[in-house]
Amino acid sequence: MNVSICDGRIPGTILNKSDMGNVTGLDFLSKIFYISDGVMIAEIRRISGLDTSTLQNWTKRGWLENSKLKRYDIDQVAHILLINMLRSCMQLDRIAFLIRYINGSVNDRSDDIICYSRLYDYVCRILERLTDDTPVQNIRACIEETIRDYEERVTGARKRLSKGLEIIVVAYYAVLLKQRSDHLLDSLTGKE
């Protein structure tokens, strides 16, 4: 089965790619942080569609690092976008486990195998490459090609990163498939 998968939004956001110059990943994050090295929660709400209480709840549960002086840095924003892009298809505690599998403790960056902004960039680059003509079975090859510039700081980090990316990409693909299915069903019922 060849299903057309297309996502006009920047992953983890409510923003259309076309409104942001068709950029995603680090290019998108760089636009947000062009003038400042930190953003306030109001800006994160505008980007992600999340409300303040959700972000505070994620922080309280230990799924997000606390803001510093009420500002979030580029890696914290990327972390939020990663959680947000997966939460419609995965339970939040499973997303938290996946993030810990990749990067260890949320509040200790010294055990991270990759910064969140780069992880988000890899995810976006992989998703961009998985176009309508690319069969789903090529996800692993796409991941390996995308992370070829990644250098392990600890033994086994590349394997953990690759597995984590595969889970994130497949889960997000599932989100897009569900949206496509809902759209097709709505067209039958006249709700479109």
Side-chain angles (χ1 to χ4, degrees):
M1 173 169 82
N2 192 3
V3 180
S4 173
I5 299 295
C6 183
D7 187 16
R9 295 198 177 176
I10 298 168
T13 76
I14 59 172
L15 303 174
N16 291 321
K17 288 178 192 174
S18 59
D19 294 340
M20 295 299 293
N22 290 314
V23 298
T24 64
L26 273 175
D27 291 336
F28 166 69
L29 291 172
S30 295
K31 281 187 172 199
I32 295 170
F33 288 91
Y34 178 71
I35 294 179
S36 172
D37 60 353
V39 296
M40 304 289 280
I41 201 164
E43 186 64 25
I44 293 171
R45 286 194 325 255
R46 281 192 293 275
I47 293 166
S48 67
L50 294 166
D51 57 39
T52 302
S53 62
T54 298
L55 292 167
Q56 290 169 337
N57 183 35
W58 292 356
T59 304
K60 182 176 141 184
R61 291 178 180 254
W63 297 336
L64 282 179
E65 186 180 8
N66 283 321
S67 63
K68 292 168 183 62
L69 302 173
K70 298 187 180 187
R71 292 178 119 18
Y72 292 85
D73 67 27
I74 193 168
D75 288 311
Q76 290 170 308
V77 171
H79 188 171
I80 290 166
L81 297 180
L82 286 163
I83 294 172
N84 198 35
M85 68 186 285
L86 296 174
R87 71 188 190 119
S88 68
C89 69
M90 289 177 92
Q91 295 171 343
L92 286 167
D93 59 332
R94 291 174 66 90
I95 297 170
F97 173 83
L98 176 60
I99 297 295
R100 279 192 311 274
Y101 171 78
I102 296 170
N103 262 351
S105 173
V106 169
N107 293 311
D108 180 7
R109 291 191 182 182
S110 70
D111 64 355
D112 292 0
I113 64 167
I114 187 169
C115 65
Y116 288 104
S117 55
R118 190 164 179 209
L119 177 63
Y120 179 73
D121 187 57
Y122 279 158
V123 169
C124 291
R125 286 172 39 199
I126 293 163
L127 290 170
E128 286 292 317
R129 295 199 48 221
L130 295 174
T131 62
D132 299 359
D133 338 350
T134 306
V136 176
Q137 61 264 30
N138 287 334
I139 288 175
R140 283 188 182 141
C142 183
I143 289 169
E144 290 309 314
E145 187 175 323
T146 302
I147 68 170
R148 73 179 174 275
D149 65 339
Y150 175 75
E151 294 181 24
E152 280 188 331
R153 293 188 323 202
V154 294
T155 304
R158 176 180 287 280
K159 185 176 179 182
R160 275 191 5 226
L161 175 60
S162 182
K163 281 182 180 273
L165 283 168
E166 184 177 3
I167 293 166
I168 292 169
V169 169
V170 169
Y172 193 66
Y173 219 76
V175 169
L176 297 178
L177 283 170
K178 169 102 172 49
Q179 289 172 353
R180 176 78 173 132
S181 172
D182 288 346
H183 175 74
L184 291 170
L185 184 58
D186 287 348
S187 69
L188 290 177
T189 62
K191 291 184 181 181
E192 193 175 33

